Amino acid sequence: MPRTTDGDGTPVPQRLLAAATRLFAERGYDRTSVQEIVEAAGVTKGALYHYFGSKDDLLHEVYARVLRVQQERLDAFAGADAPIEERLRGAAADVVVTTIDNLDDAMIFFRSMHHLSPEKNKQVRAERRRYHERFRALIEEGQESGVFSKATPADLVVDYHFGSVHHLSTWYSPNGPMPPQEVADHLADLLLRALRP
């Protein structure tokens, strides 16, 4: 049975994900071997296959772990007892911050999604669709209550905001002039301005 932790107490799955994320970001998914991942993580191939069935599973988990956090946070914003404008702004800003906080994961995913097996690709698309539908429901709630304009269909508003989010990994630099929260505030404000009646 593979060890569940290493000498410093880090669980083996986390070591594998950290090594895979770093290597995928540096070299690309297709140019990184399973052997390189296990060597960087300091574990055996047996340990990798115990926790992840394949390199494909590692790629999926790199993205899925971020999306799980984002989904939980969106659900909290959506279910909060606050005005719709406040809930949408919070959700819109949060997805920017959590994407920037996980920029390597986002870059790897959008650069390498086509390497996923058809089954995993379908699963990821379903997970993203669930997130986008919950976000769209907030917009529709605001439109139905008259707080937001109905001039632009909610689907297009979602695509507009997430187009910006998905491109963060191509231009945002942690060493740049704007911290994550400032970028998030600007993009959330743009979204709300676009929705005002």
Side-chain angles (χ1 to χ4, degrees):
M1 180 79 170
R3 292 174 303 146
T4 54
T5 61
D6 74 339
D8 70 359
T10 305
V12 169
Q14 286 181 13
R15 288 176 59 81
L16 286 162
L17 277 168
T21 300
R22 182 173 52 79
L23 291 169
F24 293 165
E26 288 173 2
R27 303 178 187 180
Y29 172 82
D30 53 339
R31 292 185 299 280
T32 301
S33 69
V34 167
Q35 186 61 39
E36 289 168 329
I37 294 168
V38 298
E39 284 176 7
V43 301
T44 64
K45 280 188 180 178
L48 184 146
Y49 292 122
H50 175 75
Y51 293 104
F52 302 96
S54 64
K55 192 171 84 162
D56 184 61
D57 286 344
L58 271 170
L59 176 61
H60 175 256
E61 184 58 22
V62 163
Y63 182 68
R65 65 183 172 178
V66 178
L67 188 56
R68 279 194 299 271
V69 168
Q70 290 177 330
Q71 185 71 57
E72 286 172 15
R73 293 172 68 93
L74 173 59
D75 289 343
F77 281 109
D81 184 20
I84 185 59
E85 189 168 344
E86 189 178 313
R87 286 184 284 140
L88 179 63
R89 190 190 187 287
D94 185 72
V95 72
V96 174
V97 171
T98 52
T99 298
I100 290 174
D101 285 348
N102 298 280
L103 215 51
D104 278 350
D105 303 59
M107 177 188 65
I108 290 163
F109 183 75
F110 289 110
R111 193 169 65 188
S112 306
M113 184 180 169
H114 63 282
H115 289 295
L116 287 172
S117 67
E119 179 186 326
K120 285 274 190 278
N121 202 302
K122 184 177 178 182
Q123 185 181 344
V124 164
R125 288 182 186 282
E127 290 162 355
R128 281 178 64 194
R129 187 167 43 255
R130 179 175 167 251
Y131 183 92
H132 287 182
E133 285 171 355
R134 187 77 195 258
F135 194 90
R136 185 185 69 217
L138 284 172
I139 295 165
E140 290 172 338
E141 180 185 334
Q143 288 176 327
E144 291 305 315
S145 64
V147 175
F148 300 149
S149 169
K150 291 184 179 181
T152 305
D155 280 336
L156 196 55
V157 176
V158 171
D159 290 342
Y160 164 78
H161 186 65
F162 284 94
S164 300
V165 172
H166 295 162
H167 281 90
L168 284 166
S169 63
T170 65
W171 68 266
Y172 183 80
S173 170
N175 302 318
M178 277 196 287
Q181 190 61 56
E182 188 176 344
V183 175
D185 289 339
H186 282 306
L187 292 178
D189 288 343
L190 278 171
L191 177 66
L192 286 175
R193 279 201 295 272
L195 282 167
R196 287 201 182 104

